[in-house]
Amino acid sequence: MTSPEVSPPHAEPPGALFGRLISTPEGLSDREAKERLRRVGPNRLDPARPVSAWKILADQLRSVVVVLLVAAAAIALLLREPIEAAAIAAVLVINTVVGFVTEWRARRAMAALIHLDVPRAFAIRGGQLRGIDAETLVPGDVIEIEAGQQVPADGRIVTETDLRTSEAALTGESLPVSKAADAVPLDTPLAERTSMAYKGTTVAAGTARVLVTGTGAATEVGRIGVLVRDVQDEPAPLERRLDELGHRLVWLALAVAALVSALGALQGAAFALVVETGIALAVAAVPEALPAVATIALAVGMRRMARRRALVRRLPAVEALGSTTVICTDKTRTLTSGDMTVVRLWTAGQDIDLSRADTAPPEARRALDVAALASREQIVQPGSASEGDPVDVAMLRAAARAGIDRRALVARTPARGLVPFSSDRKFMATFHAGPEGLMAHMKGAPGRVLGFCTRDGRGQALDAAGRQAVVAANDAFAAAGLRVLGLATGRVAEPAETSLRDLTFIGLVGLMDPPAPGVRDTIAQLRTAGLRTVMLTGDQRLTALAVGREIGVVAADGEVVDGRELDAMSPESFATRVGRIAAFSRITPEHKLRIVTALQASGEIVAMLGDGVNDAPALKKADVGVAMGRRGTDVAKQAAAIVLQDDRFETIAAAVEEGRVIFDNIRKFVFYLFSCNVAEVLVLLVAGVLGWPMPLLPLQLLWLNMVTDTFPALALAMEPGDADVMRRPPRDPQAAILSRPFLASIMFYGALITASSLAAYGWALWARPGDAKTVAFMTLAFAQTFHLGNARSTEAVLKPARVVANRYALGAVVLSMGLQLVAMYVEPLARILHVTVLDAGAWGVVLALAVIPAVVGQALKLSGVRR
């Protein structure tokens, strides 16, 4: 209904806007409303479409490693090796089912958290005020809103009485915003458009009549929804690393198979043998269990996080949080409690600290009497969140600490009238009948209150020096980031605004939204772990600076940048500064998205915490978005990858710790699987170069990769975290899983296992030719199983307490060894695997050589050489 060539609603007078929207203060007729509804559509935000089961299933098959396994199965079928093909298919099915079930359950849990309620609205239709379904609202409707209601659509305020709305979810502004009918300048930021009420915000106090200017997707919250949809899902760091690893595996498998096949052909081997050897090497080069083990390891991490009240929607987010280098977080109700608290009081020239006192000192009583009477009655619950205006609640709590009961005061001095707060007045006053006659009690903006006063708290004339003292105290409070209110009282002739004059200035009250419990310690813990915390808030710069310094986000020389300054920065200038800025104030959803994008472009892994609609685009863009589960908006929960079910900032540190443990364990089982696979490849490669018969059959290699190797690798996913996991810096976000030192360690242990296996095979070719393949098969299997101790830690695991720290590892060793015995002594399986029964002498050689890699590895660790 509006045109881009004309002024936006906040900058236009209500009368002109009525004309533009072809409406009147009497509202629309039912017929016109229906016609407009047909044209513009219902007033609702389409929820994000749930991800289909087919999409979740397809996502499990996107890995390059999975594609390689599919190709291997297809080749096995073409070469008429149905058992190998079936075995590979079984691995794929297990991996897919585990990933699908885990993610499906997580999404169902999220569905229980997300609920989109459609409120009722009160609109003037046909000249009468009626309750209607909010979905039927259209531009041009005139609605009425009052305290406690959710604003059902964007609208221009026509008339209001003491209207204040809570816009924290939309703008990040922590305090209720006073509204008025007066137009504001064209370039006024969203958080300061006092002439507008926005869909999804809550009326904290007062009433208003509002002309609807936007519905559905045309609202500010709808515009944010478009931003969210435009943000593309980013792959998690683990997804990127495993994808890179998969590409390397493809080329490695092809190169090794081609090399050995060529060697066989040059040596004049039969074509069938050459093909069989090539298949065996391709199977040996690929750790078939890797996708399944990675998925299960992330699922284990997901369960661990759930126990610590963090619900994971996407499995890779578990590891991504452990990779995080920067945490961007909303301030209001995330770093702070959301409850205003009186922390300082200036009265009769004294600056009184109320933040650490359980009771207020006697000299503060008179000021707190006035503060209590100048506030409206609220439901105050000591020690917990209270309903109502947060400023009035804070005043009553401060008075209660001094033993002041507002109801008792009102009983002694009955109320006779009220001048409500408005954005024009910038104060509120109550009138009470007492022993001294009719008294007025006022609180409001210090400068405004001071203008009604002629005396100070001592009863002396308020001269220029006295007024300057008040201004100095106000500046000191404001510099500390406090919201400052003035208090005054005095006898008046009648309970009316016109009688407010010649009052006594009692003092100043400083209020702060205090840090949430545990926030300071959590930020310090994250800093020790090498993570930088960046605060994003819709509050003023001074408030952001004070809160940031108090909780440890902003250092003494830390930078705080506001939205207007950010808008003025060029992309190049911002890119050079973004790594130094500790807090951003007065920012919009677009700003948050720009901040996250700039940090990612500089190579950071970014976690974003928020609970409001205004956080949703940044939550989706971040490497891992984290929303609050209890008070978080539905849009925020849908955009996030992790939801904190207890709404505690401390939980994010616990989740980071779990993420780091999971990545460490992923590295451990990647190290284990790859050193085992390197050994398998080298055994075949070296045997081919030496001209020996092929020591292992393709099905034996598949058995090792899928059965014997899998259980130890899974046990590594359960390994407890190291003691220093939160005392070391984040790893380089650009570092690959297979770094050069890591790869060198894999090659070293792979070579050790190869040497032991080939030594046993060489002995068997000389002493037990008929058992040679079985000796090689068993030696390789047991050497890999004993190698688990090398993979469990960078330090030796010989101490009894360390040995039993992961009971799953002990179980995996017993299970793997048992499976090898089953492969030998269960006739049908032995026949399929071409395994013979060994005598005691052969077993002695197998075990003696198989334990060598484990012994060498532990000896090196004891001497200080670490992986």
Side-chain angles (χ1 to χ4, degrees):
M1 305 301 294
T2 61
S3 169
E5 288 80 16
V6 297
S7 298
H10 65 265
E12 196 159 349
L17 205 55
F18 273 115
R20 176 142 61 89
L21 292 174
I22 315 176
S23 182
T24 70
E26 303 304 317
L28 302 172
S29 67
D30 289 332
R31 180 178 178 181
E32 176 63 21
K34 287 180 181 178
E35 175 59 24
R36 294 190 183 191
L37 183 63
R38 185 186 65 79
R39 293 201 306 267
V40 302
N43 173 38
R44 65 166 176 257
L45 301 174
D46 292 329
R49 294 181 180 178
V51 179
S52 70
W54 290 111
K55 175 65 165 58
I56 296 174
L57 185 63
D59 287 344
Q60 312 309 313
L61 302 173
R62 290 187 307 169
S63 165
V64 176
V65 176
V66 170
V67 174
L68 187 58
L69 291 177
V70 171
I75 293 171
L77 280 176
L78 289 174
L79 295 173
R80 297 181 180 179
E81 297 287 351
I83 296 178
E84 285 89 340
I88 296 172
V91 173
L92 288 170
V93 170
I94 292 170
N95 175 59
T96 302
V97 169
V98 170
F100 174 82
V101 171
T102 305
E103 189 161 340
W104 178 256
R105 291 177 63 183
R107 291 185 181 275
R108 288 187 64 184
M110 269 302 302
L113 286 177
I114 296 174
H115 49 278
L116 299 175
D117 295 326
V118 180
R120 298 276 291 171
F122 292 90
I124 300 176
R125 291 277 177 88
Q128 295 182 341
L129 182 65
R130 302 202 305 262
I132 64 171
D133 190 331
E135 283 196 7
T136 65
L137 287 175
V138 293
D141 262 324
V142 177
I143 59 174
E144 288 193 359
I145 54 176
E146 62 181 19
Q149 290 183 343
Q150 188 181 63
V151 179
D154 284 7
R156 178 68 166 82
I157 295 168
V158 179
T159 61
E160 56 84 25
T161 302
D162 190 23
L163 180 66
R164 279 172 282 173
T165 60
S166 177
E167 299 183 345
L170 180 65
T171 67
E173 173 66 61
S174 59
L175 297 175
V177 179
S178 298
K179 298 292 184 176
D182 296 334
V184 295
L186 186 69
D187 61 350
T188 303
L190 180 67
E192 299 174 8
R193 294 175 188 171
T194 55
S195 59
M196 297 291 294
Y198 293 110
K199 180 179 176 66
T201 62
T202 304
V203 181
T207 61
R209 184 161 286 192
V210 175
L211 172 62
V212 174
T213 58
T215 60
T219 60
E220 285 296 323
V221 70
R223 183 180 59 82
I224 293 174
V226 173
L227 277 178
V228 173
R229 287 195 296 271
D230 288 344
V231 175
Q232 298 298 316
D233 287 322
E234 298 288 337
L238 180 63
E239 290 177 307
R240 293 195 293 266
R241 289 187 177 100
L242 287 180
D243 192 57
E244 292 169 1
L245 195 56
H247 282 89
R248 292 188 183 186
L249 286 176
V250 170
W251 292 111
L252 175 64
L254 294 176
V256 170
L259 174 62
V260 174
S261 298
L263 283 174
L266 289 174
Q267 292 172 354
F271 177 76
L273 181 61
V274 169
V275 172
E276 185 179 15
T277 304
I279 294 174
L281 279 164
V283 170
V286 179
E288 285 84 357
L290 180 60
V293 174
T295 300
I296 292 171
L298 294 176
V300 168
M302 179 178 170
R303 287 198 300 272
R304 286 179 176 175
M305 286 191 180
R307 286 197 294 268
R308 302 182 80 165
R309 309 300 294 164
L311 174 66
V312 180
R313 297 184 64 200
R314 292 180 61 240
L315 285 183
V318 175
E319 183 274 338
L321 197 54
S323 307
T324 298
T325 59
V326 175
I327 294 180
C328 294
T329 174
D330 187 29
K331 177 187 78 70
T332 305
R333 299 187 301 173
T334 301
L335 298 177
T336 62
S337 67
D339 289 333
M340 299 299 296
T341 303
V342 176
V343 294
R344 288 171 71 179
L345 178 66
W346 185 86
T347 182
Q350 297 183 69
D351 187 346
I352 302 170
D353 185 356
L354 298 178
S355 63
R356 293 179 173 82
D358 293 331
T359 59
E363 57 267 28
R365 184 175 181 89
R366 185 185 183 194
L368 293 174
D369 276 342
V370 174
L373 288 171
S375 301
R376 289 160 297 188
E377 188 64 39
Q378 306 287 328
I379 301 173
V380 178
Q381 301 170 0
S384 62
S386 301
E387 298 293 332
D389 184 282
V391 173
D392 286 352
V393 168
M395 293 294 188
L396 297 181
R397 280 181 172 167
R401 289 201 300 271
I404 299 170
D405 184 349
R406 185 182 187 279
R407 292 181 180 178
L409 286 177
V410 173
R412 292 196 301 270
T413 58
R416 293 292 182 261
L418 168 72
V419 176
F421 181 91
S422 72
S423 55
D424 291 333
R425 294 191 189 95
K426 297 183 180 178
F427 72 88
M428 73 167 290
T430 60
F431 301 93
H432 297 263
E436 301 177 7
L438 184 64
M439 300 291 293
H441 305 287
M442 176 187 293
K443 77 172 187 296
R448 188 80 169 108
V449 172
L450 194 60
F452 290 96
C453 299
T454 57
R455 294 181 300 279
D456 63 19
R458 302 184 183 91
Q460 299 175 352
L462 197 56
D463 56 14
R467 293 178 184 275
Q468 184 55 42
V470 173
V471 171
N474 174 66
D475 290 346
F477 278 22
L482 304 179
R483 182 179 184 184
V484 189
L485 297 177
L487 301 173
T489 188
R491 188 183 302 172
V492 293
E494 58 178 338
E497 185 175 354
T498 55
S499 67
L500 294 171
R501 54 183 179 273
D502 296 330
L503 301 181
T504 298
F505 189 83
I506 299 298
L508 300 171
V509 175
L511 301 99
M512 176 173 280
D513 183 2
V519 163
R520 294 187 190 90
D521 292 341
T522 301
I523 289 173
Q525 181 186 13
L526 292 171
R527 187 184 303 109
T528 301
L531 278 77
R532 189 163 66 92
T533 304
V534 177
M535 185 172 71
L536 314 177
T537 178
D539 281 335
Q540 299 283 354
R541 182 198 292 262
L542 281 177
T543 303
L545 180 61
V547 173
R549 285 180 174 171
E550 182 175 2
I551 63 179
V553 168
V554 181
D557 58 347
E559 286 190 67
V560 178
V561 170
D562 66 21
R564 283 194 173 96
E565 186 179 353
L566 180 55
D567 286 334
M569 287 187 198
S570 66
E572 295 75 19
S573 173
F574 184 51
T576 60
R577 291 184 60 187
V578 68
R580 302 193 303 272
I581 301 171
F584 294 85
S585 63
R586 278 296 189 224
I587 59 172
T588 65
E590 289 87 351
H591 290 146
K592 293 184 180 184
L593 189 58
R594 183 181 175 189
I595 292 164
V596 169
T597 303
L599 286 168
Q600 289 174 323
S602 67
E604 306 282 5
I605 300 295
V606 182
M608 171 70 197
L609 275 74
D611 61 359
V613 174
N614 61 322
D615 299 312
L619 285 170
K620 186 175 181 183
K621 175 62 178 175
D623 294 287
V624 52
V626 184
M628 299 301 180
R630 292 180 180 175
R631 64 174 178 269
T633 60
D634 296 328
V635 175
K637 293 174 194 173
Q638 289 172 328
I642 295 176
V643 176
L644 304 184
Q645 293 176 290
D646 58 4
D647 285 7
R648 299 175 64 201
F649 187 73
E650 295 162 287
T651 304
I652 195 65
V656 167
E657 181 180 357
E658 291 294 347
R660 288 191 172 190
V661 171
I662 289 300
F663 184 78
D664 284 351
N665 290 347
I666 288 173
R667 280 177 58 89
K668 289 172 184 177
F669 68 66
V670 167
F671 168 78
Y672 175 78
L673 289 174
F674 273 65
S675 53
C676 291
N677 280 72
V678 164
E680 293 166 9
V681 170
L682 290 178
V683 164
L684 295 176
L685 189 59
V686 173
V689 171
L690 294 175
W692 291 358
M694 188 168 65
L696 297 163
L697 300 174
L699 202 55
Q700 291 174 336
L701 289 167
L702 202 56
W703 170 272
L704 290 175
N705 288 350
M706 288 183 6
V707 180
T708 310
D709 291 353
T710 299
F711 295 108
L714 287 174
L716 290 171
M718 309 297 294
E719 196 70 24
D722 295 332
D724 66 343
V725 69
M726 289 297 282
R727 294 197 298 271
R728 61 182 188 235
R731 59 190 177 276
D732 181 359
Q734 306 302 321
I737 292 179
L738 295 182
S739 61
R740 287 187 178 181
F742 192 65
L743 190 57
S745 184
I746 287 173
M747 296 301 297
F748 172 75
Y749 282 100
L752 275 179
I753 297 171
T754 300
S756 296
S757 302
L758 285 176
Y761 183 54
W763 170 83
L765 285 175
W766 170 72
R768 303 279 200 283
D771 296 329
K773 280 185 169 55
T774 301
V775 168
F777 178 51
M778 290 297 172
T779 305
L780 184 56
F782 280 93
Q784 291 176 350
T785 302
F786 297 148
H787 174 53
L788 178 63
N790 296 328
R792 286 184 58 189
S793 174
T794 56
E795 299 178 351
V797 292
L798 297 178
K799 294 181 180 179
R802 190 68 183 86
V803 170
V804 300
N806 182 1
R807 65 182 185 275
Y808 297 98
L810 298 178
V813 170
V814 173
L815 181 59
S816 296
M817 294 174 69
L819 286 170
Q820 285 303 112
L821 295 177
V822 168
M824 176 178 289
Y825 293 108
V826 175
E827 176 59 27
L829 186 57
R831 189 166 55 252
I832 292 174
L833 293 173
H834 300 283
V835 175
T836 59
V837 176
L838 300 180
D839 59 20
W843 270 118
V845 172
V846 167
L847 294 176
L849 291 171
V851 78
I852 290 175
V855 171
V856 172
Q858 294 303 300
L860 288 173
K861 292 175 190 294
L862 285 173
S863 66
V865 178
R866 298 187 176 187
R867 184 177 74 243

